């Protein structure tokens, strides 16, 4: 089981590092590259660099709010 945990941890770290590298290159480096360069084909338009994290944050906050509300209602029913 310990080996499986290490493998999952490594996989999650690799995915996180890949996303961070992609996003950093997209937001910081790409605006300085000419717009007709071939590298622009591998990235979404710049507007999405803001929209995707905003919507992900809203989804995360919504999920956390629903989860906390569910736990509070569940604990209230146990005490009553």
């Amino acid at each position: 089981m310990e080996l499986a945990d290490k493998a999952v941890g490594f996989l999650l770290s690799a995915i996180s590092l890949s996303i961070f590298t992609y996003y950093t290159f997209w937001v910081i480096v790409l605006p300085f590259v000419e717009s007709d360069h071939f590298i622009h084909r591998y990235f979404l338009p710049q507007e999405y660099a803001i929209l995707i994290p905003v919507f992900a944050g809203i989804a995360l906050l919504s999920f956390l709010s629903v989860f906390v509300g569910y736990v509070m209602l569940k604990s209230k029913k146990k005490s009553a």
Side-chain angles (χ1 to χ4, degrees):
M1 187 66 177
E2 185 177 317
L3 184 61
D5 290 340
K6 286 183 180 181
V8 169
F10 178 76
L11 181 65
L12 289 175
S13 295
I15 290 171
S16 298
L17 184 63
S18 299
I19 291 172
F20 176 77
T21 304
Y22 179 86
Y23 187 77
T24 301
F25 188 81
W26 182 25
V27 172
I28 295 176
V29 176
L30 208 60
F32 298 107
V33 177
E34 294 180 16
S35 60
D36 60 343
H37 197 271
F38 76 93
I39 197 74
H40 281 277
R41 286 184 283 170
Y42 300 108
F43 294 91
L44 293 171
Q46 287 293 116
E47 296 84 30
Y48 292 107
I50 300 299
L51 292 176
I52 291 173
V54 166
F55 285 127
I58 290 171
L60 178 67
L61 287 175
S62 299
F63 173 75
L64 288 174
S65 298
V66 168
F67 178 74
V68 168
Y70 174 74
V71 169
M72 288 174 63
L73 286 174
K74 194 173 179 181
S75 68
K76 190 175 184 180
K77 287 180 183 178
K78 281 186 178 180
S79 64

